[in-house]
Amino acid sequence: MRILCLSNGHGEDAIAVQILSAIQAQNPEVSLAALPIVGTGHAYQKLDIPIIGRTQQMPSGGFVYMDNRQLMRDLKGGLLQLTWQQYQAVKRWKNQGKEKSLILAVGDIVPLIFAWLSGCRYAFVGTAKSEYYLRDRQGNWLPKTSALEKWFGSVYLPWERWLLSRKKCVAVYPRDRLTTDVLTTYKIPAVNLGNPMMDGLEPPENLPQKETKQTLTFVLLPGSRPPEALHNWQKILQAAQLFVEKYQAVNFIAAIAPSLDPGEFFDCLSSLGWQKLDSQPTELTFGDPEAQVFQQNKAQLVFTQHRYAESLHCADLAIAMAGTATEQFVGLGKPALTIVGAGPQFTPAFAEAQTRLLGESVLLCSRPNAVPDKVDFLLSHPDLLQAIAINGQERMGTAGAAHRIASHLLAL
């Protein structure tokens, strides 16, 4: 059997790698390949999975559908040529093998269209859409759901449902039970096996114990796509600076994507008065030899690009302007404070949609200086913190989905 994985984004790549790793563990004889439609596929490279075609980082970072200006920039940057070359690479892969072939599309309609056009059997992992955008936990329409959205009947639009109901589409793995229930009413082969977004986030052994951790700890999540991540970082630091002034001591862990260049991030810290320490006198580096530690007054900031799971588990709260990372943090049962950004991803519309997806686990702030009041409100309402813990786990599911999806795929 041979499997080609198509994905379109840093978060989608990470989810795809979780599933492919599980496939390798269950059946090492399966031939794996990948084509990241957006970005360079750093996650696949780490796993030594061959990339079959050309990759390129586009100016929009993959968010052309959010802003027409971004589309124009991508078109000037060679989007059409790249798309055609990637399509040709998929066709070549299909024609090269006589074994049983399957395409696994991870993300949204873009890899799904590639999979359908290939003529291969295909399966789809839907990371981008959830009925929680339109419905509450009981499946009732949310007040903000428009008449048109109700008429469409699902967060998956009719043309997406058409692609998912083709004979060649052998399995669909939605991100939650509610979405699975709705898709099955359209005779789509949807199976609720959980959300692989929560895999690979097992609590590490070297995590500081809660009873010994006295200082409030924030994880800072600016997103993964340049140059937006750097702009988000500047806003997040404005909020963090308010806590430096407010508390005697506070910890920050900056969990930055490995694909981003740390230099400009360090420059922002220096301009705000953070001093880089020569040594690493903190347990918050989690043994990462490349982590950098900064200090300002009694506040400490750890900058790491290699201890993502540890960073999420150790933090009490997140200050976030990200997609997947915010969802994963919420899935651990913790609250995230999000700040509206300029985009192309973390726009006001995206941020508002994220609050519908994740419910009370996300507190949306219009500007950085609104974050401290929201934190004060949270810390003074332990009943809300308990509800957030339950809500996050219900909407994001439990770990192990990648293993379950891999088993299902291998049986097709």
Side-chain angles (χ1 to χ4, degrees), residues 209 229 339:
Q209 296 299 309
I339 308 168

Side-chain angles (χ1 to χ4, degrees), residues 191-266:
V191 189
N192 180 32
L193 298 180
N195 190 342
M197 232 181 248
M198 296 310 298
D199 287 4
L201 295 175
E202 293 77 12
E205 295 178 2
N206 59 343
L207 199 67
Q209 296 299 309
K210 281 191 178 293
E211 53 269 21
T212 63
K213 188 165 75 71
Q214 301 294 325
T215 308
L216 192 65
T217 301
F218 293 86
V219 64
L220 310 180
L221 303 170
S224 61
R225 288 174 167 87
E228 182 183 8
L230 184 63
H231 300 149
N232 292 347
W233 174 243
Q234 292 164 348
K235 280 200 168 190
I236 288 171
L237 285 183
Q238 290 176 38
Q241 206 66 24
L242 298 172
F243 290 102
V244 174
E245 298 165 5
K246 182 172 184 175
Y247 294 110
Q248 286 294 309
V250 61
N251 290 328
F252 301 100
I253 308 173
I256 307 301
S259 56
L260 296 175
D261 181 358
E264 291 176 304
F265 288 80
F266 293 158

Side-chain angles (χ1 to χ4, degrees), residues 15 19 45 84 106 112 137 161 194 231 246 251 266 272 329 331 364 377:
I15 289 166
I19 297 170
Q45 295 167 23
W84 175 251
V106 180
L112 185 59
R137 295 183 194 176
R161 299 198 300 263
H231 300 149
K246 182 172 184 175
N251 290 328
F266 293 158
L272 289 171
F329 187 78
L364 179 60
F377 178 79

Side-chain angles (χ1 to χ4, degrees), residues 12 73 97 116 224 238 288 308 411:
E12 291 80 1
R73 289 176 64 202
W116 171 66
S224 61
Q238 290 176 38
D288 176 11
Y308 178 66

Side-chain angles (χ1 to χ4, degrees), residues 236-315:
I236 288 171
L237 285 183
Q238 290 176 38
Q241 206 66 24
L242 298 172
F243 290 102
V244 174
E245 298 165 5
K246 182 172 184 175
Y247 294 110
Q248 286 294 309
V250 61
N251 290 328
F252 301 100
I253 308 173
I256 307 301
S259 56
L260 296 175
D261 181 358
E264 291 176 304
F265 288 80
F266 293 158
D267 291 342
C268 294
L269 288 170
S270 299
S271 68
L272 289 171
W274 288 93
Q275 301 293 319
K276 184 176 174 183
L277 301 182
D278 294 331
S279 58
Q280 295 183 337
T282 174
E283 58 190 353
L284 299 182
T285 60
F286 309 109
D288 176 11
E290 296 181 29
Q292 302 291 336
V293 182
F294 296 81
Q295 190 163 354
Q296 184 176 171
N297 300 328
K298 293 185 179 180
Q300 210 167 64
L301 187 149
V302 173
F303 186 102
T304 179
Q305 294 182 281
H306 305 289
R307 295 294 185 270
Y308 178 66
E310 291 88 339
S311 301
L312 297 194
H313 277 282
C314 188

Side-chain angles (χ1 to χ4, degrees), residues 12-82:
E12 291 80 1
D13 293 354
I15 289 166
V17 162
Q18 292 287 342
I19 297 170
L20 297 185
S21 297
I23 289 172
Q24 281 183 331
Q26 293 178 39
N27 187 346
E29 299 301 315
V30 175
S31 172
L32 299 178
L35 180 60
I37 296 168
V38 172
T40 56
H42 181 79
Y44 295 114
Q45 295 167 23
K46 282 176 64 178
L47 202 64
D48 291 329
I49 292 173
I51 294 175
I52 65 162
R54 184 179 157 216
T55 63
Q56 183 180 335
Q57 187 73 53
M58 283 286 141
S60 74
F63 287 92
V64 295
Y65 54 86
M66 292 187 174
D67 188 336
N68 289 334
R69 291 170 298 180
Q70 297 292 338
L71 175 59
M72 291 307 299
R73 289 176 64 202
D74 280 8
L75 288 172
K76 289 177 182 177
L79 176 63
L80 290 179
Q81 297 97 311
L82 177 66

